């Protein structure tokens, strides 16, 4: 095929690095710096010795980096009589977080599903109340809840704390799933009913497999919340199940004692690792999931 | 024998009365099309038959059984949806077998039915794909297959072709028709596309605001619309209309009069009333023919060539008139042309009540 | 009409107007129990306590509105409420604005998008206790940013909001925005990605500059995202406690006191449950007044189309 | 039975001290100490309350010697320790009596005080004073005269931690310093509104307010140990803090009365308010547990254990017949005052509820941080608080 | 004079070569329709013309100006989208005026233009509504209005009607045609609906896989398709096909032979090769006519009545054949019928290369 010789502008428009493009990156990088500084401070502080910290050079790199604080935070720092660092609470946190996240998501998704496809009289009102519950500071209902759990014999047990997390997670989880399921075509549900699937079959075989994106968001929100929870765990979990944040707090917070900032920071980062890992792993699913669940009215 | 029988069906939403005391009998093996413009209640009616909506009053009988309170699955119906509503995470095979498995049917039997359905619909090579890997037409076929495997007496279709492009729509239309001739099930088919309705239906029910306007064969609906709404709704382009008065044997408008000799009035006798005269574009001609009378001459406004035929548009007494002529006709825009009409093919509607005269 | 009515009488009307599957009621039971049991009964119980003279423990020595009288006579409470309003409005506004900007800039087909996204989002994984502590340091005049910049030669640089009662609240605000704006960014980004591509093309053909397209066309289209963001942020605002305790302890003076802290202090350390619950009840009021109508309009009333 | 103990001793020295108690208890055999440490007193106390409400009370729990647990006694939720106390004669050897008073209600004894901390100390950096060339102040008047000179010399006269409790702490120290025990008692014990709005009280507020100008801009939100560190490093001249600050000086290798000075309650007649920690023992239906609780209560007052515990913690024992090996020059000063019944004053929170206490703290904190608040205004609010106090 | 001229246009996505060395000249005032099946690159080509996509090679000229590197707004084009792409929160008036306001045009001028456009499109009563308060057809008109106010030489339409229902589509089609006759702008119109293409276009460009197959008038495309693809693509139902061999004057398949007298070969002379014979449904008849030759007799498979005409389907040598007959024809399913064809209207395509003979 003969090639016609073209004169004048042809082909793709030459790319120029424009001012606005530079501006975009400038903005993003400065925002990134703003977001990173606290993490940077935490990291370097955790690598310094106390004497170096007392100099007050917040941003200077550690002269003699050492992981001693990390080792101590993980396994040696004392909280009262026991000196096992935050690792003691780690497994408790896992024991609390996994079932709490799972159950609250399961219940939230069932609620959302029922609210989207199986309305009954008053279901919207129930949902309204539940949503209102999202705004109730939980301290407000702490006394009645303690009394309630005492009466059913669950106060101070693993089951009790899981129940509590489930209760407080339910509003937002329900909202998330309800919005997501409402965005699915009604016809899918109708088709399944014509096929003879019942309430649970439709839920487990049709709806659940479709809700992976929102589930990712739900897992992230709930894990972050429950893993970082201190107060509820302390009050409801019972002595045997105190979560990691209790140890973290014992290390970090003190009125009259001496503060070991490097250990504090190491403990802090260690505690945040689990939610951070989930963020990194879920990556793009998070945004995608939000698009699927949270955004639609 | 009626396959579906709907008695005094009422359906209200909080604020809207969507179906009003609707009665409808559908014969066994019949292909009934529900036709109407958007929002007239077609889907609502279909969902009531399927048991997907709770009705406000009335009864629904399927195969001489009162199913008013039955679950959709127990009504002996299969349904095909506009958006296909395939289960996105399941393969085609799973999509087809899901309902059967839920029912607890034996594996062998499921296999057999899926095989048969996929053979009928020629989707055997697709059985292991997921819906997202199918084209629109293939998806539609799978959706039909899902109803097919259930081995039901009654098929319900809710605008099954309206998401497809024109060509595919035409192809699948023929396939559905063929399927009906093969299976001989009762089929209720919702559409707002009159071509589908006319080509597929044994009978068409034309709906407007939740009420059935006319229930009849396609030919009847086309050639003997019972009122002005039906007359205008069916046919493309729409029927041309002229407002005037019937005086004895003539239709009079302004200074013109058209001899109505040959028109079959429903009520014999003398007529003298205000009326509309309607005439379909294909019953007008631009050259004198046997039995045609000249109406007027007018200037050609627009030409729409469609290959085998051409639609010629005129501005006539403030209304757009269209005439269908053969595609070989040599016409030019802005020219004057004479319009002739065949009075036997005309339609007359009373101005009062807009019913056919 | 009369006649048809007579005819219809033969055709029975369904008795059960709704066919609800038992399982659907069963499945909604936990929700019903939580909604009514916790958010109605328990809240009601707590409201009742606000009319009692409960001290360390709940009791039912009725004192009428005494607690409310004392509450509104307490300057700390009044200051807390003022703080909450200022903080809440600014917090939500800043999060929305910065979240929106980050989302917009990330939407420019930039390199390392996922890297930036993770960076903006990670603070959300940090507990507020920690966030408060780190920011407290950074805002400390002789240790933090101020010190570093002054030593770099900019002697007059001042950045120590936490030590000044006038600005302390803004110090808290910075930390809070740092923590939450990433989430808003993610929400907004998702919203942006959901906008019809043809809108963009139409705007380009119309010659509308990108920034105007974002501001006047895209932004108004993101109403649902905004609502979701505001809800999530507002939930955090009403409950703000950890951050305050960790970063300022409510000080200097009363300058960063918040209602939630007032409630918690009184039902724990100060052993005055009655007053605490009166304060809590007052907190629920705006929630009911502002959020209630919204919840009703958005979720309770409308039927699914 | 094992006995769960809730306490807030989570920092370095405190941990070692509580470990002494735990180990000694475990040594007694059979029963074990189950440790539940929760940082910050208010959190630990709240937990104890909630656990009691939830029917899952700990075997023992730490409180301050104050009215914090009064309601628990009234509700009959605490184990009555009177039989042991009478048998062992607690009232005879626990001194000063003010430390045991909060445990007593209607003749019964319901808690065990384990240590004493004294609050009124001005810690000074001797080098700074020498450098400026002024004498260490022994009254607040003196302080106010030397402070400007110190400031002019480039030092911070008063290292201050701007947290609510620290502000309140300094306020109390000032109050005792510029008034006397009688006035103190008429305000806190008798809750006399006239005293609360008297000129003496005005003087207290004025003196307290005058201190503002001698602190640095970084004070708000500062932890006490960071303030102490300012004295240690010579950035600041002095700090008002309780005797626990001694540990910081020691940790930095400073020697009492050589590197740093300790001036008891800057006042014409030095006196100390004594606070301390006490353990309560919630009632239980479990007889074994009750036996263990009594055993623990008794053990906590055992002289050897008192010695070991207080030596570790750096606090003063609640009984006199204890050998304090660690006592340095400053601690000896304290012990001497402790032996003088006229020099010990009952702390305010033995007389007022935590609620009132909190109101006072809020007022003090507001007053400190808002120089625009007039003394008149503060006085009238203070009077209102004292009037309403129970 | 060319209004748009596309030279050697190439467009590649990372993995796909969508447009291949495409050349196209569009005359001033011409209504050009780009027709092709889904995914063939129509929208891509249109976006290249609009400047919404960066091309890989080649040039684009609009009004004799090389606009290859220009911004869309500077190209003198207006564009109408399938999803309308109205700014949802602005009133119709704002939608129309926003682009002008941004440009900094004087208020009075804006007002004038908006008035003119809304008069032309008859949307004056809607000016203060928001898009959500408009029907589909009204939205479409506003979308056109937005292009109209910009007073451009070239209009680009990307499937502007495909979101509408059949009836509305037919109505708006006529309106767009009328608009073109009034404004006389150059219009480039993308669709996959052949009825739209045939009725609207001055010339149609049929695309397949990013290449233009035939560029010609609707009549030419319909009556003289240049290759098998075009022949099959245009016409509904599709052209009927027969595979066989041309031997001299005859088309031979199996035992039959059809005399080709009257067929106009492109290359005169002797033909002897394998070929397809194509014939449109409307050029077949079920009764003998002048100049028609009998093809075969076959059993009626399906009848599709469409009102004024009926499509009769046969199974013929393994292919579905369709014949268009007048709607009054009385036919029955399963009957045998004779099929006659008009050789002058037939089409012949070489088996090799599938081009017209
Ligand atoms: N859940 C609902 N609540 C209230 N009104 C409804 C609901 N569903 C449908 N409607 C109303 O009922 C009427 C009939 O709706 P239906 O879906 O049956 O129309 P349709 O004939 O199928 O139209 P289309 O061709 O657009 O599908 C419409 O006016 C619609 O607005
Ligand atoms: N952004 C993209 N990246 C990669 N491939 C693309 C992209 N956009 C379009 N394509 C591909 O380019 C081809 C042409 O797309 P185009 O949208 O032009 O088709 P079309 O003819 O407009 O089809 P339709 O009728 O469905 O609108 C398609 O095969 C499509 O998959
Ligand atoms: Mg419908
Ligand atoms: Mg396209």
């Amino acid at each position: 095929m003969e090639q016609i010789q073209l004169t004048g502008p042809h082909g793709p428009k030459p790319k120029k690095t424009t001012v606005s493009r530079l501006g975009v990156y400038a903005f993003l990088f400065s925002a990134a710096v703003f977001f990173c500084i606290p993490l940077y401070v935490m990291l370097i502080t955790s690598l310094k010795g106390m004497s170096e910290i007392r100099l007050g050079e917040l941003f200077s790199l550690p002269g003699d980096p050492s992981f001693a604080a990390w080792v101590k935070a993980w396994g040696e720092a004392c909280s009262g009589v026991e000196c096992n660092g935050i690792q003691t609470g780690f497994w408790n946190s896992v024991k609390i977080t996994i079932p709490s996240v799972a159950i609250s998501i399961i219940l939230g998704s069932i609620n959302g599903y029922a609210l989207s496809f199986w309305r009954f009289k008053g279901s919207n009102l129930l949902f309204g109340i539940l949503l209102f519950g999202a705004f109730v500071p939980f301290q407000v209902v702490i006394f009645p809840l303690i009394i309630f759990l005492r009466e059913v014999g669950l106060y101070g047990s693993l089951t009790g704390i899981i129940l509590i997390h489930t209760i407080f997670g339910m509003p937002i989880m329900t909202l998330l799933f309800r919005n997501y399921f409402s965005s699915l075509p009604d016809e899918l549900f109708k088709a399944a009913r014509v096929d003879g699937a019942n309430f649970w079959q439709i839920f487990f075989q049709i709806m659940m497999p479709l809700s992976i994106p929102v589930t990712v968001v739900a897992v992230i929100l709930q894990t972050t919340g429950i893993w970082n929870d201190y107060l509820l765990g302390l009050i409801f979990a019972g002595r045997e199940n105190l979560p990691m944040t209790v140890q973290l707090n014992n290390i970090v917070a003190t009125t009259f004692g001496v503060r070991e900032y490097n250990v504090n920071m190491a403990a802090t980062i260690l505690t945040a690792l689990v939610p951070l890992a989930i963020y990194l792993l879920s990556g793009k699913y998070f945004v995608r999931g939000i698009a699927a669940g949270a955004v639609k009215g | 024998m009626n396959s579906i029988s709907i008695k005094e069906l009422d359906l209200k939403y909080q604020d809207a009365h969507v179906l009003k005391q609707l009665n409808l009998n559908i014969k066994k093996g019949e292909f009934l099309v529900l036709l109407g413009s958007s929002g007239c209640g077609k889907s609502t009616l279909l969902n009531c038959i399927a048991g997907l909506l709770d009705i406000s009053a009335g009864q629904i009988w399927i195969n001489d059984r009162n199913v008013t309170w039955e679950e959709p699955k127990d009504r002996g119906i299969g349904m095909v949806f506009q958006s296909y509503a395939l289960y996105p995470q399941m393969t085609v095979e799973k999509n087809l077998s899901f309902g059967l498995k839920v029912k607890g049917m034996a594996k062998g039997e499921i296999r057999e039915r899926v095989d048969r359905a996929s053979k009928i619909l020629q989707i055997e090579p697709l059985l292991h794909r997921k819906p997202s890997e199918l084209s629109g037409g293939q998806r539609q076929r799978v959706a039909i297959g899902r109803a097919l495997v259930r081995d039901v007496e009654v098929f319900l279709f809710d605008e099954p072709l309206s998401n497809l492009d024109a060509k595919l729509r035409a192809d699948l239309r023929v396939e559905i028709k063929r399927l009906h001739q093969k299976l001989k099930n009762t089929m209720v088919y919702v559409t707002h596309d009159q071509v589908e309705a006319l080509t597929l239906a044994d009978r068409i029910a034309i709906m407007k605001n939740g009420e059935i306007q006319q229930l009849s064969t396609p030919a009847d609906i086309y050639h003997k619309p019972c009122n002005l709404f039906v007359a205008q709704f069916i046919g493309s382009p729409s029927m041309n209309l002229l407002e005037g008065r019937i005086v004895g044997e003539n239709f009079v408008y302004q200074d013109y009069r058209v001899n109505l000799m040959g028109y079959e009035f429903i009520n014999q006798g003398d007529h003298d009333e205000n009326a509309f005269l309607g005439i379909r574009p294909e019953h007008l001609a631009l050259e004198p023919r046997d039995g045609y009378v000249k109406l007027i001459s007018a200037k050609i406004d627009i030409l729409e060539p469609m290959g085998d035929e051409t639609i010629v548009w005129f501005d006539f007494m403030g209304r757009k008139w269209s005439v269908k002529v053969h595609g070989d006709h040599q016409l030019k825009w802005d020219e004057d042309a004479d319009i002739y009409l065949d009075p036997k093919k005309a339609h007359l509607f009373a101005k009062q009540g807009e019913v056919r005269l | 009409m009369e006649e048809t009515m007579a005819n219809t009488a033969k055709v029975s009307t369904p008795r059960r107007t709704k066919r609800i599957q038992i399982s659907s009621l069963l499945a909604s039971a936990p929700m019903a129990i939580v909604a009514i049991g916790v958010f109605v009964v328990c809240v009601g119980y707590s409201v009742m306590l606000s009319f009692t003279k409960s001290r360390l423990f709940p009791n039912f020595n009725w004192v009428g509105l005494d607690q409310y009288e004392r509450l509104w006579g307490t300057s700390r409470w009044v200051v807390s409420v003022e703080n909450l309003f200022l903080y809440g409005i600014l917090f939500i506004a800043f999060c929305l604005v910065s979240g929106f900007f980050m989302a917009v800039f990330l939407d420019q087909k930039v390199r390392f998008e996922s890297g930036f996204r993770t960076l903006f989002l990670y603070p959300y994984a940090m507990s507020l206790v920690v966030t408060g502590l780190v920011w407290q340091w950074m805002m400390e005049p002789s240790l933090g940013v101020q010190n570093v910049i002054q030593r770099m030669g900019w002697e007059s640089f001042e950045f120590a909001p936490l030590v000044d009662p006038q600005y302390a609240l803004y110090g808290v605000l910075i930390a809070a925005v740092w923590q939450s704006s990433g989430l808003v960014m993610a929400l907004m980004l998702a919203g942006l990605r959901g906008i019809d591509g043809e809108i963009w093309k139409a705007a380009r053909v119309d010659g509308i500059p990108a920034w105007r397209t974002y501001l006047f066309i895209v932004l108004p289209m993101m109403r649902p995202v905004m609502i979701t963001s505001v809800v999530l942020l507002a939930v955090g605002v009403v409950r703000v406690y950890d951050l305050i305790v960790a970063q300022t302890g409510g000080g200097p003076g009363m300058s960063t006191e918040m209602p939630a802290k007032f409630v918690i202090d009184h039902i724990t350390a100060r052993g005055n449950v009655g007053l605490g619950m009166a304060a809590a009840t007052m907190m629920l009021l705006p929630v009911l007044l502002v959020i209630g109508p919204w919840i009703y309009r958005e979720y309770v009333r409308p039927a699914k189309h | 039975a094992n006995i769960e103990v809730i306490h807030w001793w989570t920092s370095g020295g405190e941990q070692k001290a509580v470990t002494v108690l735990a180990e000694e208890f475990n040594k007694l055999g059979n029963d074990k100490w189950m440790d539940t440490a929760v940082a910050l007193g208010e959190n630990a106390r709240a937990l104890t309350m909630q656990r009691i409400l939830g029917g899952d009370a700990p075997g023992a729990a730490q409180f301050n010697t104050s009215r914090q647990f009064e309601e628990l006694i009234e509700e009959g939720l605490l184990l009555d320790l009177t039989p042991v106390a009478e048998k062992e004669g607690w009232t005879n050897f626990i001194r000063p009596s003010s430390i045991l008073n909060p445990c007593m209600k209607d003749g019964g004894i319901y808690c065990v005080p384990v240590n004493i901390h004294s609050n009124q100390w001005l810690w000074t950096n001797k080098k700074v004073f020498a450098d400026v060339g002024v004498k260490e102040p022994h009254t607040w008047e003196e302080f106010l005269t030397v402070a400007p000179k110190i400031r002019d010399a480039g030092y911070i006269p008063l290292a201050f931690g701007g947290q609510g409790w620290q502000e309140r702490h300094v306020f109390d120290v000032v109050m005792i310093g510029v008034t006397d025990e009688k006035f103190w008692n008429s305000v806190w014990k008798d809750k006399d509104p006239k005293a609360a709005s008297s000129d003496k009280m005005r003087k207290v507020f004025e003196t307290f307010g005058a201190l503002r100008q001698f602190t640095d801009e970084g004070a708000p939100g500062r932890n006490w140990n960071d303030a102490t560190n300012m004295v240690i490093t010579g950035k600041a001249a002095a700090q008002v803090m309780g005797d626990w600050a001694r540990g910081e000086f020691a940790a930095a290798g400073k020697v009492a009365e050589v590197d740093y000075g300790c001036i008891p309650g800057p006042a014409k007649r030095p006196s100390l308010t004594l606070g301390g920690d006490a353990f309560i023992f919630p009632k239980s239906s479990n007889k074994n547990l009750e036996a263990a609780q009594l055993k623990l209560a008794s053990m906590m007052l055992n002289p050897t254990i008192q010695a070991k515990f207080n030596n570790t913690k750096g606090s003063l024992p609640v009984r006199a017949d204890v050998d304090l090996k660690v006592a340095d020059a400053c601690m000896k000063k304290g012990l001497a005052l402790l032996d003088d019944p006229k020099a010990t004053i009952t702390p305010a929170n033995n007389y007022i509820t935590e609620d009132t206490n909190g109101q006072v703290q809020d007022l003090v904190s507001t007053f400190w941080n808002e120089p625009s608040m007039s003394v008149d205004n503060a006085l009238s609010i203070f009077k209102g608080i004292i009037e309403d106090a129970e």
Side-chain angles (χ1 to χ4, degrees), chain C residues 196 198-209 212-213 216-218 220-221:
Chain C
D196 180 9
E198 292 196 336
I199 287 276
W200 283 106
K201 292 185 179 174
R204 269 188 77 190
V205 171
D206 265 355
I208 300 167
R212 287 181 91 142
T213 311
F216 297 115
I217 295 169
V218 172
M221 288 174 79

Side-chain angles (χ1 to χ4, degrees), chain D residues 32-346:
Chain D
K32 278 196 67 176
W33 171 294
M34 312 269 292
D35 193 65
T36 300
V38 176
L40 305 187
E42 58 264 33
N43 288 353
R45 293 195 296 271
L47 178 63
T48 302
M49 298 297 177
Q50 281 146 355
R51 292 275 300 271
I52 291 175
L53 184 65
D56 182 26
Q62 182 190 5
F63 276 82
N64 291 119
T65 56
S66 67
R67 287 179 66 178
Q68 283 161 355
F69 46 92
E70 180 181 57
E71 203 178 331
L72 294 177
I73 303 177
E74 286 167 358
E75 297 278 329
L77 293 167
L78 298 187
L79 183 63
D80 187 355
L81 304 171
T82 325
V84 207
E86 280 176 358
K87 200 176 90 199
E88 298 183 355
W90 290 5
T91 43
N92 303 331
F93 61 76
I94 294 181
R95 59 76 229 238
S97 58
S98 67
I99 210 79
L100 188 60
N101 279 341
C103 295
M104 308 218 281
K105 185 101 188 171
D106 303 329
I109 291 183
Y110 296 91
C111 74
V112 181
V114 293
N115 62 347
I116 300 172
H117 277 294
S118 51
N119 297 322
Q120 279 76 5
W121 296 95
L122 185 70
W123 306 92
T124 59
N125 183 318
K126 299 232 175 220
K127 212 171 132 250
V128 172
F129 278 93
D131 191 35
V132 179
V134 293
K135 266 184 40 199
E136 291 164 303
H138 282 79
T139 65
W140 283 111
E141 273 169 17
E142 284 175 36
F143 182 84
L144 291 179
T145 40
V146 298
K149 290 174 194 149
I150 301 173
R151 188 177 54 194
D152 294 343
Y155 297 100
I156 299 160
L158 188 64
F160 194 87
Q163 293 171 338
W165 72 270
Q166 294 190 62
E167 288 155 352
R168 174 72 201 284
H169 182 256
V170 174
F171 180 80
D172 277 1
V173 172
V174 170
M175 183 163 168
I176 295 177
V178 302
T179 64
D180 52 25
E181 184 178 2
K182 201 165 136 261
F183 180 77
W184 176 267
N185 282 339
S186 66
V187 171
W188 300 121
K189 188 178 178 192
D190 308 333
K191 304 173 182 84
D192 175 8
K194 265 200 253 118
S197 56
S198 63
D199 281 349
K200 278 193 176 168
M201 204 59 221
R202 172 179 301 272
K203 179 98 188 296
V204 172
F205 274 103
E206 280 168 357
T207 315
F208 180 62
L211 295 181
R212 289 188 200 113
Q213 49 180 314
F214 302 118
T215 63
D216 64 319
E217 63 148 358
R222 179 182 288 148
N223 291 316
W224 70 270
N225 56 317
D226 294 328
T228 308
N229 199 39
M230 290 166 66
V231 178
I232 294 173
T233 53
K235 276 189 201 140
Q239 180 194 14
V240 177
M241 196 35 64
D243 60 5
W244 51 86
R246 213 167 39 90
E248 288 285 304
F249 287 99
K254 305 289 177 190
V255 181
E257 297 296 5
V258 176
D259 301 312
Y260 67 99
C262 45
I263 296 149
K268 289 200 191 74
R269 256 202 59 212
S271 49
L272 300 177
T273 61
L274 302 175
D277 300 299
F279 280 87
I280 53 116
F281 300 86
K283 242 184 208 159
S284 91
S285 51
N286 181 342
K287 284 290 157 212
N288 290 337
L289 179 57
E290 196 177 310
Q293 287 175 318
L294 292 174
K295 195 167 71 175
L296 178 58
S298 155
M299 185 207 85
M300 283 173 164
L301 289 171
N302 177 302
T304 36
I305 307 248
Q306 272 285 311
K308 226 171 159 180
F309 172 76
N310 283 300
N311 271 324
T312 319
K313 184 154 190 316
S315 51
L316 305 174
V318 296
R319 50 196 300 168
D321 50 352
V322 163
D323 172 30
L324 273 183
K325 280 182 301 208
V326 295
D328 58 14
C330 285
M331 202 162 179
K332 286 199 180 112
K333 268 192 201 175
L335 277 170
L337 282 168
L338 199 57
D339 287 336
D340 173 4
K342 287 205 187 113
T344 59
I345 296 180
T346 308

Side-chain angles (χ1 to χ4, degrees), chain B residues 227-297:
Chain B
N227 62 26
L228 194 60
F229 172 79
V230 174
Q232 288 254 286
F233 191 79
I234 292 284
S236 168
S238 285
M239 184 182 279
N240 301 300
L241 276 194
L242 208 55
E243 200 178 331
R245 194 174 171 81
I246 303 178
V247 183
E249 292 263 283
N250 292 302
F251 181 82
V252 186
Y253 63 99
Q254 289 181 341
D255 301 341
Y256 304 89
R257 59 178 51 220
V258 180
N259 192 312
L260 292 173
M261 191 105 96
Y263 180 78
E264 293 177 19
F265 281 97
I266 292 178
N267 298 314
Q268 299 299 333
D270 268 4
H271 288 272
D272 185 8
E273 55 191 313
N274 288 331
F276 291 101
L277 176 108
I279 184 90
R280 296 203 181 279
E282 63 268 29
H283 299 140
L284 292 169
L286 299 185
E287 74 282 319
R289 288 200 200 158
D290 255 12
Y292 279 60
V293 296
K294 179 171 166 190
L295 198 62
I296 198 176
S297 77

